[in-house]
C-alpha cells in the first residue's frame, strides 16, 4: 500500500513519519479537495505515490521517505537542488520545511520528478 492510497481515504491531515528516521511531515487527505488541484498539491501527491506504508496508527502513517530519497542521492546531487553539499541527514533535517511550503511548486515538482525516475 502506498501513502497515496491512505490519502484517498482521508479528509483530514495525515501525520507522516519515516519508518527509520526521526522525521515528521504532513500530507492532506484527498477526500473533499477542491478542483482543480494546484501544482504544489499535485507534486505532493506524486511523492505520496512513491512512499510505501509500513504502519498506520490513528492519523499517523509510517513510510519509507528517507529510503526513497537516499536511493536517489546521486541524482539529487547532480540536479543541484541545494546550495550546499548535502547528504541524507541534511535533506531530512530540512524536509519538514520543504514539504510545509518552504520551496516553490516548481522546485518541489522537479524534486519529485527526480525521485520518480526509474520508479514507474
Amino acid at each position: 500500500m502506498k501513502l497515496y492510497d491512505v490519502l484517498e481515504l482521508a479528509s483530514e491531515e495525515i501525520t507522516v513519519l519515516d519508518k527509520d528516521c526521526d522525521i515528521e511531515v504532513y500530507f492532506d487527505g484527498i477526500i473533499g479537495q477542491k478542483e482543480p488541484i494546484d501544482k504544489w498539491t499535485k507534486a505532493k501527491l506524486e511523492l505520496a505515490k512513491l512512499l510505501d506504508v509500513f504502519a498506520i496508527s490513528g492519523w499517523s502513517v509510517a513510510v519509507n521517505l528517507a529510503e526513497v530519497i537516499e536511493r536517489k542521492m546521486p541524482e539529487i546531487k547532480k540536479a543541484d537542488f541545494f546550495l550546499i553539499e548535502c547528504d541524507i541527514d541534511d535533506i531530512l533535517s530540512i524536509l519538514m520545511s520543504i514539504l510545509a511550503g518552504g520551496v516553490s511548486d516548481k522546485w518541489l515538482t522537479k524534486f519529485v520528478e527526480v525521485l520518480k525516475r526509474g520508479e514507474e
Side-chain angles (χ1 to χ4, degrees):
M1 173 185 285
K2 300 290 186 182
L3 175 59
Y4 184 86
D5 300 319
V6 174
L7 297 176
E8 282 188 309
L9 303 174
S11 60
E12 303 289 324
E13 181 178 77
I14 302 291
T15 302
V16 178
L17 311 168
D18 186 79
K19 69 180 184 73
D20 297 320
C21 299
D22 185 22
I23 183 171
E24 183 175 298
V25 295
Y26 304 94
F27 282 74
D28 291 325
I30 296 173
I31 293 177
Q33 275 198 11
K34 298 173 186 165
E35 295 291 333
I37 296 175
D38 60 22
K39 291 177 184 178
W40 177 263
T41 303
K42 285 180 184 178
K44 280 189 78 171
L45 292 175
E46 287 301 310
L47 175 58
K49 291 176 183 179
L50 300 174
L51 304 174
D52 295 319
V53 172
F54 287 85
I56 300 174
S57 177
W59 291 106
S60 295
V61 179
V63 300
N64 62 332
L65 181 56
E67 182 181 296
V68 167
I69 292 171
E70 195 161 30
R71 271 197 313 256
K72 297 298 183 172
M73 283 304 294
E75 292 92 338
I76 290 169
K77 288 179 179 181
K78 185 177 180 183
D80 203 27
F81 285 107
F82 303 96
L83 298 176
I84 60 171
E85 183 70 27
C86 288
D87 62 17
I88 185 67
D89 294 325
D90 296 327
I91 293 172
L92 292 177
S93 73
I94 60 172
L95 196 58
M96 191 160 100
S97 294
I98 290 171
L99 293 178
V103 296
S104 69
D105 56 357
K106 184 177 177 180
W107 189 98
L108 184 62
T109 299
K110 287 181 180 182
F111 185 72
V112 172
E113 286 173 4
V114 168
L115 296 178
K116 285 173 51 175
R117 284 186 199 143
E119 299 293 322
E120 300 173 310

